[in-house]
Amino acid sequence: QQPVQSPQAVILREGEDAVINCSSSKALYSVHWYRQKHGEAPVFLMILLKGGEQKGHDKISASFNEKKQQSSLYLTASQLSYSGTYFCGTEQNTGNQFYFGTGTSLTVIP
Amino acid sequence: KAGVTQTPRYLIKTRGQQVTLSCSPISGHRSVSWYQQTPGQGLQFLFEYFSETQRNKGNFPGRFSGRQFSNSRSEMNVSTLELGDSALYLCASSLGAGGRYEQYFGPGTRLTVT
């Protein structure tokens, strides 16, 4: 089951904050976040696991609500380099295949 | 450490042909996953290999197949190509299998089917 991301697109000015959401209708074991810049490969940002374990980059923060099967990625004090498409990826408790969301396009303008 | 490498980077094939794509993971990584990326469908999971065994398979027809070798390098094969197979094919490697491990993506192979 593909997770649903929101918003689909967002435009920010440098220094502003943004939140990107990812929700699933299935019980999840893990949520991943990746950023992909145009013409480049996706780059790992964060993993959140069932039970509370997290690992990722220091400047990125995220949350995982296990009751609601929702995750949010928090981008604070945005920089021009934050521009790109953000994908969440999920693995269900059943250890099934990995599903990526449809992506959120984020544009940071000066 | 060297990153994930994929060959070839670009490929043009005609309908009905077959194609083989190659992926070399980061040294020490034992899991390789393959994804198809298109503007309309986003990133779609094809399969995951761990220690030469297919661990999971996505919802793709049997024309899509793959394998992993003892050195963790992986190949995917698409037979009887269709126009709809035109896409960017990404492979990703990780230390272990499953969602516990972050994935490191290669630059992709851009396949165009005419």
Side-chain angles (χ1 to χ4, degrees):
Chain A
Q1 290 282 3
Q2 186 177 37
V4 177
Q5 284 186 237
S6 63
Q8 289 187 334
V10 59
I11 299 175
L12 299 173
R13 291 196 178 277
E14 269 186 295
E16 292 182 338
D17 301 339
V19 180
I20 301 173
N21 302 301
C22 174
S23 64
S24 174
S25 60
K26 303 290 186 182
L28 300 176
Y29 169 72
S30 70
V31 179
H32 294 212
W33 287 96
Y34 294 83
R35 177 173 60 213
Q36 185 176 29
K37 293 182 180 287
H38 184 69
E40 300 180 9
V43 172
F44 167 74
L45 296 175
M46 176 78 72
I47 281 182
L48 304 102
L49 299 175
K50 179 183 175 183
E53 186 179 345
Q54 295 186 6
K55 49 181 174 177
H57 293 285
D58 292 341
K59 295 187 177 180
I60 300 287
S61 65
S63 64
F64 178 25
N65 185 325
E66 293 180 40
K67 287 185 180 179
K68 294 184 176 180
Q69 305 305 322
Q70 291 177 352
S71 177
S72 295
L73 182 70
Y74 305 98
L75 301 168
T76 57
S78 59
Q79 305 171 18
L80 294 175
S81 61
Y82 287 10
S83 293
T85 301
Y86 289 77
F87 293 98
C88 70
T90 59
E91 184 184 41
Q92 297 169 21
N93 277 341
T94 52
N96 217 325
Q97 60 176 284
F98 199 75
Y99 292 95
F100 274 101
T102 50
T104 295
S105 173
L106 186 138
T107 304
V108 181
I109 59 176
Chain B
K1 280 185 178 179
V4 178
T5 57
Q6 292 186 244
T7 56
R9 293 291 311 279
Y10 301 91
L11 209 47
I12 300 175
K13 292 285 188 178
T14 55
R15 277 181 299 176
Q17 288 186 314
Q18 75 166 17
V19 66
T20 299
L21 312 182
S22 181
C23 172
S24 293
I26 291 172
S27 177
H29 284 195
R30 296 171 63 194
S31 175
V32 173
S33 297
W34 288 89
Y35 297 89
Q36 180 194 65
Q37 187 172 33
T38 57
Q41 299 295 322
L43 276 162
Q44 303 272 303
F45 173 80
L46 280 156
F47 21 68
E48 178 190 13
Y49 286 89
F50 178 73
S51 293
E52 301 179 67
T53 301
Q54 187 179 87
R55 183 175 175 271
N56 276 310
K57 190 178 192 311
N59 301 323
F60 280 81
R63 300 185 296 105
F64 291 81
S65 63
R67 57 179 176 168
Q68 186 181 34
F69 301 96
S70 58
N71 61 358
S72 294
R73 190 177 70 84
S74 178
E75 288 181 348
M76 67 163 279
N77 184 276
V78 188
S79 63
T80 320
L81 284 166
E82 299 177 1
L83 294 178
D85 297 334
S86 294
L88 179 67
Y89 290 87
L90 293 162
C91 85
S93 76
S94 54
L95 267 175
R100 184 172 192 82
Y101 300 92
E102 61 265 39
Q103 299 183 54
Y104 294 87
F105 285 82
T109 294
R110 172 75 61 184
L111 172 65
T112 302
V113 182
T114 63

